[in-house]
Amino acid sequence: MAAAGGEPSSQNMSDELFQTFISEVKQIEKRDSVLTSTQQIDRLLRPGSSYFNLNPFEVLQVDPEATEDDLKKRFRALSILVHPDKNQDDPERAQKAFEAVDKAYKLLLDPEQKKRALDVIHAGAEYVEHMVKEKKKKLKKDGKSLDVEEDDPEVFKQAVYKQTMKLFAELEIKRKEREAKDMHERKRAREEEIETAEKAKREREWQKNFEETRDGRVDSWRTFQAKGKKSKEKKNRSFLKPPKVKMEQRE
């Protein structure tokens, strides 16, 4: 539906830009689909792959709108290419590449995870579109030409690709931060639980020791009191004893 003045609506422009991006992704897939085993392993383990591989569609080189059957076929073809058994000259790197492919495939089989990935890709295209609109708005205000570098499909594609990777990376960083925070909270809760248990144990041991030694303490006290009483009586007797009378001698 067109907006007032015959201009296309923002939603329609977003959809068109997203479809343009998808079309370009397909071209990349077609180009890269002929990569050899070694080239695929290099692609999956290239510098920065820990972030590049956050995009499961990028890992599998599939259309974001691919069906489950398409995903299955692509996974099978790519997993065979990078499987360690097929790359015995470099089994360790092949294993890492295979794990990246397997992880991406399993993620896309999960409807919720797949939707999140699609949302990120769509958000990347929308962000670039917004950025282009803001550039043009400023140029128009300054009375300058409305031509921008993103008018070039290749530049636009790269801008969307970079923004999409950035969004995936930001989400992963936030996920790790939440994970670290949760781990810290669990550790703190566990430490408090252990401290509480140890405190309760000390109190039980003290109470047990107190009960076990009660009779001994009572006997000791009674003995102490008895000795004190006898000592006092003896002292009193000594105090009341009359002095000895010296008998006078008669001449």
Side-chain angles (χ1 to χ4, degrees):
M1 180 181 294
E7 295 182 357
S9 68
S10 176
Q11 182 60 47
N12 285 343
M13 290 180 68
S14 295
D15 292 340
E16 289 174 4
L17 286 169
F18 182 65
Q19 291 303 322
T20 298
F21 173 66
I22 296 302
S23 177
E24 290 166 348
V25 168
K26 290 180 179 179
Q27 293 176 15
I28 295 174
E29 293 167 6
K30 185 176 181 180
R31 181 195 68 200
D32 291 351
S33 63
V34 296
L35 294 179
T36 64
S37 294
T38 300
Q39 290 172 328
Q40 285 289 5
I41 292 174
D42 289 342
R43 179 183 70 85
L44 292 166
L45 301 182
R46 66 193 185 280
S49 59
S50 60
Y51 286 106
F52 288 126
N53 292 348
L54 292 173
N55 183 348
F57 299 105
E58 167 72 14
V59 173
L60 298 180
Q61 300 174 308
V62 294
D63 180 358
E65 298 178 349
T67 64
E68 286 193 14
D69 189 52
D70 293 333
L71 289 174
K72 185 176 181 179
K73 289 178 180 178
R74 182 55 185 162
F75 167 71
R76 180 174 176 77
L78 191 54
S79 62
I80 290 175
L81 274 177
V82 301
H83 198 282
D85 290 345
K86 184 178 176 60
N87 298 275
Q88 296 185 9
D89 56 327
D90 196 0
E92 291 185 6
R93 295 182 76 245
Q95 180 62 37
K96 291 180 180 179
F98 178 81
E99 289 172 358
V101 171
D102 185 63
K103 180 180 179 180
Y105 177 61
K106 289 178 178 177
L107 188 149
L108 291 179
L109 289 181
D110 183 327
E112 185 177 345
Q113 294 291 336
K114 182 178 180 180
K115 183 180 181 303
R116 288 179 183 176
L118 285 170
D119 288 345
V120 172
I121 292 174
H122 210 151
E126 288 182 341
Y127 176 86
V128 174
E129 177 206 10
H130 175 73
M131 180 186 68
V132 171
K133 288 174 65 177
E134 290 299 311
K135 279 186 177 182
K136 289 180 178 289
K137 185 185 294 184
K138 187 176 185 306
L139 290 172
K140 184 177 181 180
K141 182 179 179 181
D142 296 340
K144 298 179 180 179
S145 170
L146 300 184
D147 293 335
V148 294
E149 59 180 352
E150 285 82 10
D151 289 335
D152 182 336
E154 185 63 27
V155 175
F156 178 82
K157 178 187 68 176
Q158 289 299 320
V160 171
Y161 178 81
K162 290 178 181 179
Q163 183 59 29
T164 300
M165 291 300 102
K166 181 180 178 182
L167 291 175
F168 272 112
E170 289 175 349
L171 289 174
E172 178 65 7
I173 290 172
K174 290 180 180 179
R175 185 193 68 78
K176 288 182 177 180
E177 289 176 348
R178 288 195 302 270
E179 189 176 78
K181 183 179 179 181
D182 291 344
M183 184 179 295
H184 175 73
E185 291 297 327
R186 288 195 298 271
K187 181 180 178 182
R188 185 172 62 83
R190 179 57 181 164
E191 289 173 348
E192 290 178 354
E193 182 182 341
I194 292 173
E195 177 59 27
T196 300
E198 290 179 346
K199 183 178 179 181
K201 181 180 179 181
R202 289 194 298 270
E203 291 177 350
R204 288 195 302 270
E205 289 176 348
W206 184 90
Q207 187 65 31
K208 181 181 179 182
N209 184 61
F210 180 82
E211 295 293 338
E212 290 176 347
T213 58
R214 176 185 294 175
D215 293 342
R217 290 196 309 275
V218 172
D219 291 343
S220 296
W221 175 247
R222 287 174 177 170
T223 300
F224 173 76
Q225 286 184 315
K227 286 182 178 179
K229 185 176 182 181
K230 289 179 180 180
S231 176
K232 185 176 181 180
E233 290 175 350
K234 184 177 180 180
K235 183 177 181 181
N236 289 338
R237 286 197 300 271
S238 298
F239 179 76
L240 296 174
K241 185 176 181 180
K244 291 182 179 182
V245 177
K246 187 176 180 181
M247 299 297 291
E248 295 183 358
Q249 295 181 353
R250 295 182 181 183
E251 296 180 354

